[in-house]
Every structure is written in structure tokens, then in C-alpha cells.
Amino acid sequence: MLDLLANKWSALAIGALEDGPQRFGQLQRHLQGISPKVLTQNLRRLEEFGLVERTIYPVVPLHVEYALTELGHSAAAPLRMLRNWVENNIDSVALAGAREASCASETDGFADPTTDRAGR
């Protein structure tokens, strides 16, 4: 379950469905950058674990909606807190990552005195 909820697209799909049922196209537009294949895979896994329910309406053209189950709503709350934390701290995290990358590039080739800059 942790693997499923820690997945970027699963967590974002659950967040998108907090506002109510959505059709596949609506979800794909909301989750910019997700391919139809990846969205389908994630929705199937969420459905398989009982977090999302899929409702098919017998009309032409076929109308399918995805909605959070009660279990899905209970998972949405801690995921929302995590998303809020990320949004509030993204600048600090990015700055720390940039500092770490800068420090790593400064020591390239110097960690092992038996190698030159090309790693030979």
C-alpha cells in the first residue's frame, strides 16, 4: 500500500479526485504530463486496492467516471498534508539540492587521488 500511495501519479490522482468524480479526460488534463497509459495503470491499481471506484454509464458514447471510495477519502487526507508540506517547502528543498549538487561538482575527480578528472 505504501508503494501505491508513494507513487507520484497515484498521489496526484487521489488529490484530483478529492473534488468529486471525474472522467478520464478531465483527470488527464488535471494531471498535466501524465500519459494515457500511465493514468490507466494508476487508476486500475487504485481501483484494485479499493481507493477508487469506476462507474460506467451505459450511454453512447460510453461515459466512465472515477471517484474516491471511503477508503480513498481516508487516504486523501494525509496525502493532502504531504502535498501542502511540499508546496510550502519546495524552495528550501530545491536550494538544498542545488547546494549539494554544487558541492559534489567541486569535488569531482578529487575524491580518489589516484584518478584524473576523466576518472582514469
Side-chain angles (χ1 to χ4, degrees):
M1 183 61 75
L2 183 58
D3 182 48
L4 176 66
L5 295 176
N7 176 285
K8 168 187 172 180
W9 293 119
S10 293
L12 292 174
I14 289 171
L17 290 169
E18 280 187 280
D19 296 333
Q22 292 190 38
R23 295 178 73 171
F24 187 89
Q26 290 173 295
L27 276 171
Q28 190 174 10
R29 283 188 295 279
H30 189 93
L31 305 175
Q32 296 174 2
I34 191 169
S35 70
K37 178 183 176 183
V38 172
L39 179 55
T40 298
Q41 290 171 340
N42 279 278
L43 288 171
R44 285 182 181 160
R45 286 194 68 209
L46 290 168
E47 186 179 12
E48 177 184 333
F49 282 89
L51 299 170
V52 167
E53 66 182 355
R54 188 177 117 187
T55 305
I56 302 171
Y57 296 94
V59 295
V60 177
L62 199 61
H63 180 93
V64 178
E65 282 187 346
Y66 297 89
L68 291 178
T69 62
E70 187 176 329
L71 185 62
H73 280 287
S74 70
L79 289 173
R80 183 178 341 101
M81 289 189 301
L82 180 59
R83 283 192 314 273
N84 289 340
W85 181 88
V86 169
E87 289 171 4
N88 291 333
N89 293 283
I90 193 72
D91 292 337
S92 299
V93 172
L95 182 60
R99 264 195 309 256
E100 183 66 28
S102 175
C103 289
S105 68
E106 290 173 7
T107 61
D108 281 352
F110 296 106
D112 182 354
T114 62
T115 63
D116 64 12
R117 300 268 295 149
R120 295 176 277 188

